[in-house]
Amino acid sequence: NVYRVECGGKEMALKWYHKSTIDKMKNPQEFYENLKANIKKGAPTKNFLWPEELSDWIDGSFGYIMPLRPKGFEELTRFLLWDPKTRRMKASFANITARCNAAINIIEGFRALHNDGYSYQDLNNGNFFIDPQNGDVLICDNDNVSERGVNFGIAGKQRYMAPEVVLGGAPDKRSDRFSLAVILFRMLFIEHPLEGKYSTPPCMTPELEKKFYGSDPVFVLDPEDDRNAANNQLNTNTLRFWKIYPDYIRDLFIQSFGKSSVKPPYDRVIEMTWLDAFVKLRSETVPCPHCGKETFIAPKYSVNCMYCGGQLTCTDSIKFKRFELPAFGGAKLYDGMASDTEGDFHKIIGEVVRNKKDPSKHALRNLTQNTWSVKLPDNTVKTVDPNGIMPINKGFVLTIGRSEGTVE
């Protein structure tokens, strides 16, 4: 049970393991010692609602203190449930940028956890609390987190387990990567990637569950295997949204749930690849100049707004070492996009603005406290002061700190 308690004048959450629960554990003392070690090591990042203090054993039971979920955060489960009364999802992202931010936060959480030598034991949609307005994420239920390869025998949800774990294998970072792909897929498409016409029988049995999620899972959009093909009765959202997202997002999901991922040697998409993809997706998310809603734009392409159908054309971009920023009004430049190495993917350092007199022309506004420099094609160098703008003209080379971006 989880209780709201006061601890040192501060409201906290107390999670208590009663004896009836502990008696079902594979090795309660090992589980307890793992909790103690995790508390000592500390949370991988501030996004984890991490255990902070562990009680002694009391009459065959124990508990621990952790931070409370702040107001405004919704469990991921609510983003996946339809409310028949309101005829809307129980929770919805404010816009595409917030959805991308949430994905980036979750990916970064997995990456930090793995870099600290941990893996999840029981991962599902109940592990994540999300602020629908901005995509901030808090990761909870971390008492099952352990060193890679350790298995406490926690009975998780097969729908989020990697096939090898469903079949009895020990969880590790590779199995976590499969679970991460399931979480990301559901964040974009609501429905489950392995639940189509083949895997939804009239009566689900434990044997069938093990088959559909373990021994023979099939992606509903697998281009090489249509046994479990998505259909309009079961996969309405998947079919609706699949064509909206760009190829590089679709390709990663095909790779994540294809044969090379569900069969040994379990070739999984790593966190850095997901991170780059969602940072790119967020950079290509812009307000439509016709209707004001967020839609996608790709550098050097003409596309139609997914809402109003109005045409959007992007002729130029600023190309950095790892990322490319579309030269389109409202596109935002984040610190990590400009950095030659890894930077902060949550700190906005620039925004593309449209020329009011000539909407076909754009400039990049400096939103930092530092001065940028720009080299023009004739090799003259100009400076861009904080809150100043740089015209986005072909051949201009922008220097931000030690990083360079070229207008193409």
Side-chain angles (χ1 to χ4, degrees):
N1 289 345
V2 181
Y3 305 90
R4 184 190 297 265
V5 298
E6 186 180 296
C7 183
K10 182 181 177 183
E11 279 199 328
M12 303 283 284
L14 168 65
K15 187 169 185 177
W16 196 264
Y17 283 88
H18 296 284
K19 191 173 186 302
S20 58
T21 301
I22 291 171
D23 288 343
K24 297 174 186 176
M25 289 184 178
K26 183 178 177 181
N27 190 329
Q29 186 60 39
E30 186 179 357
F31 182 83
Y32 180 87
E33 294 300 327
N34 181 73
L35 261 174
K36 185 187 290 185
N38 287 356
I39 290 170
K40 184 177 180 180
K41 193 170 183 179
T45 72
K46 63 180 176 60
N47 295 98
F48 288 81
L49 294 177
W50 200 253
E52 292 188 2
E53 190 169 345
L54 184 65
S55 77
D56 293 331
W57 283 88
I58 302 170
D59 297 328
S61 64
F62 60 84
Y64 70 85
I65 296 287
M66 62 179 169
L68 276 176
R69 170 182 58 170
K71 290 181 179 179
F73 282 76
E74 301 275 6
E75 189 177 297
L76 176 56
T77 306
R78 290 179 55 81
F79 292 83
L80 311 176
L81 293 176
W82 177 259
D83 188 339
K85 292 182 179 179
T86 62
R87 298 191 62 78
R88 300 177 62 182
M89 305 307 289
K90 292 193 173 182
S92 300
F93 288 101
N95 48 42
I96 300 171
T97 296
R99 193 184 300 268
C100 289
N101 282 337
I104 290 167
N105 279 313
I106 289 174
I107 295 162
E108 288 181 327
F110 270 77
R111 190 160 178 256
L113 195 80
H114 292 158
N115 287 344
D116 274 7
Y118 293 119
S119 71
Y120 285 100
Q121 291 279 316
D122 172 20
L123 186 70
N124 58 70
N125 48 280
N127 285 86
F128 305 99
F129 293 129
I130 302 173
D131 186 332
Q133 297 304 311
N134 56 27
D136 284 351
V137 171
L138 293 170
I139 304 172
C140 64
D141 283 345
N142 297 295
D143 40 6
N144 296 324
V145 167
S146 65
E147 293 181 358
R148 291 195 287 267
V150 175
N151 190 350
F152 293 121
I154 302 296
K157 294 182 180 180
Q158 293 191 347
R159 299 175 75 207
Y160 292 90
M161 289 179 180
E164 65 271 25
V165 179
V166 172
L167 297 175
D172 58 17
K173 66 179 180 180
R174 286 189 306 174
S175 64
D176 277 357
R177 286 168 180 159
F178 186 89
S179 300
L180 172 61
V182 175
I183 294 291
L184 294 175
F185 186 90
R186 299 207 69 186
M187 285 180 63
L188 297 191
F189 305 105
I190 312 299
E191 292 131 2
H192 195 284
L194 303 178
E195 294 172 4
K197 65 177 183 179
Y198 149 83
S199 58
T200 49
C203 181
M204 183 69 80
T205 65
E207 291 75 23
L208 286 175
E209 206 171 26
K210 185 167 284 191
K211 176 183 178 181
F212 298 144
Y213 300 114
S215 61
D216 192 21
V218 181
F219 182 34
V220 296
L221 293 163
D222 192 323
E224 299 176 358
D225 188 344
D226 64 358
R227 287 179 298 148
N228 200 27
N231 63 68
N232 286 319
Q233 286 72 45
L234 297 168
N235 312 98
T236 309
N237 290 302
T238 301
L239 291 172
R240 178 187 173 193
F241 295 117
W242 182 253
K243 59 187 177 183
I244 291 175
Y245 286 94
D247 288 344
Y248 59 87
I249 293 291
R250 296 199 297 260
D251 289 345
L252 286 180
F253 284 121
I254 291 171
Q255 180 183 343
S256 294
F257 304 118
K259 293 296 180 286
S260 64
S261 177
V262 300
K263 301 291 182 184
Y266 307 119
D267 182 23
R268 306 267 161 74
V269 178
I270 63 173
E271 292 87 352
M272 202 64 202
T273 302
W274 279 120
L275 185 62
D276 284 356
F278 274 93
V279 169
K280 181 179 180 182
L281 183 68
R282 184 180 60 183
S283 75
E284 296 177 353
T285 300
V286 295
C288 172
H290 307 290
C291 69
K293 294 183 179 180
E294 284 194 341
T295 188
F296 298 127
I297 183 71
K300 305 175 187 69
Y301 278 94
S302 288
V303 298
N304 296 103
C305 172
M306 69 175 78
Y307 292 100
C308 71
Q311 190 176 64
L312 287 71
T313 301
C314 180
T315 57
D316 303 316
S317 68
I318 305 176
K319 194 167 186 178
F320 295 92
K321 186 174 182 179
R322 291 174 55 211
F323 295 98
E324 190 172 7
L325 179 72
F328 195 89
K332 292 179 174 57
L333 178 65
Y334 292 79
D335 175 69
M337 293 173 62
S339 176
D340 290 347
T341 55
E342 292 183 46
D344 187 342
F345 289 109
H346 305 280
K347 181 181 179 183
I348 299 172
I349 62 172
E351 182 176 7
V352 177
V353 292
R354 189 179 289 108
N355 188 305
K356 293 181 180 179
K357 295 182 179 179
D358 184 352
S360 66
K361 295 181 179 180
H362 295 84
L364 181 67
R365 186 175 299 280
N366 179 358
L367 298 180
T368 73
Q369 298 300 312
N370 302 313
T371 300
W372 297 347
S373 66
V374 183
K375 186 168 73 172
L376 279 56
D378 63 2
N379 287 326
T380 59
V381 177
K382 304 285 187 180
T383 58
V384 184
D385 294 328
N387 207 41
I389 60 171
M390 175 202 90
I392 300 178
N393 295 332
K394 280 186 171 59
F396 280 27
V397 179
L398 169 66
T399 300
I400 302 174
R402 299 180 180 179
S403 303
E404 282 190 353
T406 304
V407 180
E408 297 184 350

